[in-house]
Amino acid sequence: MSDMTTQIQRPMTAAFYAQAAFSFALALVSVTVGIAWLPMDAWQRSFLALGLVFLVSSTFTLAKCVRDRQELQEVTHRVDQARIDKIISEHDPFDLKQP
């Protein structure tokens, strides 16, 4: 039962977080500058910019869905483990009344 009370720690260092944020910002700025400097009409540039906005927003949505699914699986696993622990703790192998 001690597994139920311990919190699951996800190690994430400040350096990893900074690297992820920096690489995202660098990629976003690079693509934005690339779209701005492309030799094309304004409507074509606007179309690419709109695609970039949708891509970034859908990326955040996908990341949130993956995180939510992972958290749900962790909770489900902990509930299942608690049920198994309860059954095991209540079971007496020397009790003759149990089938």
Side-chain angles (χ1 to χ4, degrees):
M1 283 219 175
S2 63
D3 290 336
M4 289 177 23
T5 59
T6 58
Q7 297 235 350
I8 298 172
Q9 297 293 327
R10 292 183 188 91
M12 182 172 72
T13 63
F16 177 76
Y17 185 79
Q19 179 185 359
F22 178 73
S23 66
F24 174 77
L26 183 64
L28 184 62
V29 168
S30 298
V31 172
T32 303
V33 168
I35 289 172
W37 284 89
L38 279 173
M40 58 177 56
D41 294 335
W43 71 269
Q44 293 169 324
R45 191 174 290 119
S46 298
F47 178 77
L48 290 176
L50 187 62
L52 178 63
V53 168
F54 283 137
L55 179 64
V56 169
S57 65
S58 64
T59 301
F60 281 115
T61 302
L62 178 62
K64 182 186 177 307
C65 290
V66 168
R67 183 201 63 203
D68 290 348
R69 176 176 280 179
Q70 180 183 1
E71 288 177 354
L72 179 65
Q73 288 174 349
E74 288 175 358
V75 169
T76 303
H77 175 70
R78 287 191 304 199
V79 169
D80 290 342
Q81 186 63 40
R83 287 181 183 152
I84 291 170
D85 289 345
K86 181 180 178 200
I87 291 170
I88 289 173
S89 68
E90 291 175 350
H91 177 69
D92 183 8
F94 300 110
D95 187 8
L96 298 177
K97 296 177 187 174
Q98 294 180 352

